[in-house]
Amino acid sequence: FSNPSFNIWFSLPRNGDSVCSGIFNIDTRVFKWFVRDGELIHHKALPADANNYLSEYYPVLNPELNHALGFPPIQPKITDTKYKDYFVAINQLLTKYLNTPEFLAIIPHSKQWHMLEEEAVCSTSQGSNLLKFGLGTHTDPYEGLKAYKPCVPVPEGHYKFFIICHESDKDTAKLFNRYSQKKEGFINFKQFLSLPIVYDHNMHILFKDMLNPLPEIEAKLSITELHPDTHYLAIFISPYNKFEADPAKKKIYYDVKRLLLDYKISSQVIYNQNINSENFKYSVCNIAVAVLAKLGGIPWRLDRELNDELIVGIGAFRTKKFNRRYIGSTFCFSNDGDFKGFDSFPADNTFLLAGEIRKAVEKYRQPNKKAKRIIIHFYKRMSKKEIDPIIKQLRAIKHDIPVIIITVNKTASRDMVLFESDYAFKMPYSGTYVSTGNDNYILCNNVRYKPVMNGEAGLTTNGVESVAPEKELKSYPLPIKLHIQSTDPGILADPEQIKLFIDQVYQFSRMYWKSVSPQSMPVTTKYPELVAQAFPHFKNGIPPFGKNNMWFL
């Protein structure tokens, strides 16, 4: 069988039996698909006598099986031709299988792709990709931050950095120090932060126990005098990366994060091998941006007029270890992308979520008596069971303004995809969106901008777009899917209102402060997802310092 996904072969176990003659003891529920004689078979479609032919069925490796076997997590494949490759694959399906006389005899069709009329294709507002920095605006986070400084520098006060690492990583720590002082690489760390980099050498922590560093770190912190007028940031050089298969080793990341939050210390975790990599110089700018946000600065924000609305972001993460979904929440008390109130709780507690939204509304209404609406960006289609408690809580405070709920699909759309036939890589311009009916939309969210969006209408040669080298695309994400609900049906019938909501989703995807590369998903769902991912590892919940700190970046 030629599919590259099937790169692990084991016999199908009976319930309770082990794989590979007793070497592994794996719950059979993690087996989803099997291959037998070149045929792919779902576990629910296995024949009744499958157990009589155990040696002939081979499980397909999936994340759950991967985890059970103790293998490193499957790292996503990154390709610059994903959009084009996807077009080639489904176009082959059309030409090779669907345009045959045999298929057409069963289902007659047009034999070609559906071409959208020009009026059916919409676009986000001109300038919706523009970001505001301290001294100017730009569409590119890296170029904008380098040229125009942070939108809002870190708050007034003193700042100290210190290193936490295993004693074998002392040289690695010195190398990072040189990077942050621009003695290595080409990124001016201090320029990106607009802050002097001051290391407190008395606070450096070198631990000996690589498998359990927490007691040594806590012992040092417990005797360290922390000044109330000083902001601290720990650079934790971790012996393990985020793809670590051993749960005990992976837990160290969260244990150290939680401990530092208890001491009101922001932190940046960096894998030791990454620092020693030749490519690390390209990552320093991402680290600087995340550090700036964690220290209370605003690297960039949306360049648009403020209006009276409360934006609520809800994201989710399912943990395999606990087999439970958790949701994270955050609130933006204006439409500028400045989020507060990060928290998380079990996904099935809809009443707790409704209560959190009510508290946010009450807090928001104090300085904003004329709030126009509440907008909720949710990670999935909201059911009546989930909406009703929210409406009930809002009515309890006599708050009858419209509630708009926008479902933002976490997974890139594959069932409905837009292609631009005249473009070599087939990806439409960023901000292009179309209605797919029943208040559903697909939005192309990438960095292939129309020249006019950047105020660069002259960047064309013979009618063909010319892109400067620094603006060449780095990724080709598939569209995201949106579904819009409202307590006021009239809003859904207004195309201009719909465009405003889609503009907002599009713009919030450019507020990601973990990297200088824009994302296809808005931070309204991405940030809460990162919080929810960490929440199960925090025994006593998120410490108060973490409720308004971007520790999760």
Side-chain angles (χ1 to χ4, degrees), residues 520-534:
S520 60
M521 294 296 294
V523 296
T524 39
T525 57
K526 186 61 180 176
Y527 283 172
E529 178 190 343
L530 295 173
V531 175
Q533 185 175 354

Side-chain angles (χ1 to χ4, degrees), residues 164 207 210-214 217 236-244 246-261 267-271 290 294 514 530-531 533-535 537-538 550-553:
I164 301 175
F207 55 85
M210 192 177 292
L211 296 176
N212 186 25
L214 211 66
I217 298 172
F236 175 42
I237 299 176
S238 173
Y240 313 109
N241 68 12
K242 62 181 178 180
F243 298 110
E244 176 58 55
D246 186 340
K249 294 177 181 178
K250 197 169 186 177
K251 185 173 178 290
I252 292 172
Y253 168 90
Y254 296 104
D255 287 344
V256 173
K257 280 276 187 183
R258 178 190 50 78
L259 175 63
L260 292 169
L261 286 175
S267 60
Q268 180 67 38
V269 181
I270 311 171
Y271 178 41
K294 290 172 182 178
K514 195 174 181 178
L530 295 173
V531 175
Q533 185 175 354
F535 182 75
H537 302 276
F538 289 11
M550 292 192 167
W551 54 271
F552 48 83
L553 294 177

Side-chain angles (χ1 to χ4, degrees), residues 116-165:
L116 291 170
E117 298 293 335
E118 187 175 346
E119 58 268 19
V121 180
C122 305
S123 180
T124 53
S125 301
Q126 183 175 338
S128 57
N129 59 337
L130 207 57
L131 304 174
K132 183 178 181 180
F133 297 87
L135 305 175
T137 59
H138 206 287
T139 58
D140 184 275
Y142 173 78
E143 297 295 338
L145 195 57
K146 187 171 67 172
Y148 300 125
K149 304 288 186 180
C151 179
V152 178
V154 296
E156 188 68 27
H158 303 285
Y159 291 82
K160 287 185 178 181
F161 292 61
F162 66 98
I163 301 286
I164 301 175
C165 68

Side-chain angles (χ1 to χ4, degrees), residues 431-447:
T432 301
Y433 69 92
V434 298
S435 169
T436 57
N438 299 319
D439 302 315
N440 292 298
Y441 301 84
I442 56 174
L443 167 67
C444 297
N445 198 355
N446 52 65
V447 292

Side-chain angles (χ1 to χ4, degrees), residues 379-544:
Y379 69 97
K380 68 177 183 67
R381 183 81 62 91
M382 264 187 133
S383 66
K384 187 175 184 299
K385 179 182 177 182
E386 291 164 324
I387 295 175
D388 283 350
I390 296 173
I391 303 302
K392 184 177 180 180
Q393 290 285 351
L394 294 177
R395 286 175 178 167
I397 56 174
K398 298 181 179 179
H399 200 68
D400 57 357
I401 67 172
V403 178
I404 295 92
I405 301 161
I406 304 174
T407 301
V408 185
N409 253 41
K410 177 181 176 182
T411 305
S413 175
R414 287 182 176 272
D415 53 353
M416 290 234 181
V417 184
L418 282 177
F419 294 105
E420 184 174 322
S421 57
D422 294 334
Y423 180 56
F425 291 96
K426 304 304 178 186
M427 184 174 70
Y429 280 117
S430 186
T432 301
Y433 69 92
V434 298
S435 169
T436 57
N438 299 319
D439 302 315
N440 292 298
Y441 301 84
I442 56 174
L443 167 67
C444 297
N445 198 355
N446 52 65
V447 292
R448 185 191 170 217
Y449 300 134
K450 287 183 179 179
V452 69
M453 287 185 73
N454 298 339
E456 300 162 349
L459 281 183
T460 58
T461 303
N462 297 326
V464 179
E465 178 188 15
S466 62
V467 181
E470 66 271 15
K471 293 181 182 177
E472 289 180 352
L473 304 183
K474 298 177 181 178
S475 64
Y476 293 78
L478 293 173
I480 59 174
K481 289 190 291 188
L482 307 176
H483 175 73
I484 304 178
Q485 301 166 267
S486 175
T487 56
D488 179 357
I491 289 177
L492 301 178
D494 186 344
E496 289 303 313
Q497 289 292 312
I498 296 298
K499 183 172 184 174
L500 287 175
F501 301 142
I502 294 178
D503 267 5
Q504 189 179 75
V505 171
Y506 180 78
Q507 290 176 314
F508 276 132
S509 69
R510 275 134 185 82
M511 292 295 293
Y512 189 65
W513 293 336
K514 195 174 181 178
S515 167
V516 292
S517 299
Q519 306 294 299
S520 60
M521 294 296 294
V523 296
T524 39
T525 57
K526 186 61 180 176
Y527 283 172
E529 178 190 343
L530 295 173
V531 175
Q533 185 175 354
F535 182 75
H537 302 276
F538 289 11
K539 291 182 179 179
N540 299 316
I542 298 170

Side-chain angles (χ1 to χ4, degrees), residues 160 195 201 329 549:
K160 287 185 178 181
L195 179 73
H201 297 284
S329 64
N549 177 279

Side-chain angles (χ1 to χ4, degrees), residues 260-404:
L260 292 169
L261 286 175
D262 285 338
Y263 280 89
K264 298 182 179 180
I265 296 174
S266 301
S267 60
Q268 180 67 38
V269 181
I270 311 171
Y271 178 41
N272 57 3
Q273 297 303 313
N274 287 348
I275 298 175
N276 292 302
S277 167
E278 174 64 25
N279 292 327
F280 184 68
K281 58 188 176 184
Y282 301 109
S283 302
V284 176
C285 56
N286 294 332
I287 293 171
V289 168
V291 167
L292 175 62
K294 290 172 182 178
L295 293 177
I298 298 177
W300 57 83
R301 67 168 31 137
L302 306 174
D303 184 43
R304 61 178 182 175
E305 294 182 4
L306 299 182
N307 52 38
D308 295 326
E309 59 190 19
L310 170 66
I311 297 100
V312 182
I314 310 293
F317 181 81
R318 179 179 291 279
T319 169
K320 297 182 180 69
K321 179 179 179 181
F322 302 104
N323 192 29
R324 191 173 189 183
R325 185 185 297 276
Y326 293 87
I327 60 175
S329 64
T330 185
F331 303 93
C332 184
F333 296 96
S334 63
N335 63 337
D336 61 356
D338 186 12
F339 291 92
K340 302 291 183 184
F342 300 102
D343 210 341
S344 184
F345 34 84
D348 53 7
N349 198 330
T350 56
F351 293 98
L352 183 56
L353 173 62
E356 290 295 311
I357 292 175
R358 172 177 174 167
K359 286 191 290 185
V361 171
E362 290 176 325
K363 180 179 179 180
Y364 178 68
R365 288 189 71 194
Q366 293 174 7
N368 298 278
K369 301 297 184 183
K370 298 181 180 179
K372 296 179 180 178
R373 58 196 174 197
I374 299 171
I375 299 175
I376 301 175
H377 289 181
F378 210 68
Y379 69 97
K380 68 177 183 67
R381 183 81 62 91
M382 264 187 133
S383 66
K384 187 175 184 299
K385 179 182 177 182
E386 291 164 324
I387 295 175
D388 283 350
I390 296 173
I391 303 302
K392 184 177 180 180
Q393 290 285 351
L394 294 177
R395 286 175 178 167
I397 56 174
K398 298 181 179 179
H399 200 68
D400 57 357
I401 67 172
V403 178
I404 295 92

Side-chain angles (χ1 to χ4, degrees), residues 79-119:
T79 171
D80 286 349
T81 60
K82 177 173 64 176
Y83 215 102
K84 182 178 178 180
D85 292 345
Y86 192 64
F87 174 82
V88 170
I90 61 175
N91 192 55
Q92 186 180 38
L93 174 68
L94 174 67
T95 57
K96 189 174 181 179
Y97 297 102
L98 305 187
N99 281 353
T100 61
E102 294 82 4
F103 188 88
L104 289 167
I106 301 171
I107 304 179
H109 60 83
S110 66
K111 301 183 184 180
Q112 60 186 1
W113 294 106
H114 176 60
M115 303 297 290
L116 291 170
E117 298 293 335
E118 187 175 346
E119 58 268 19

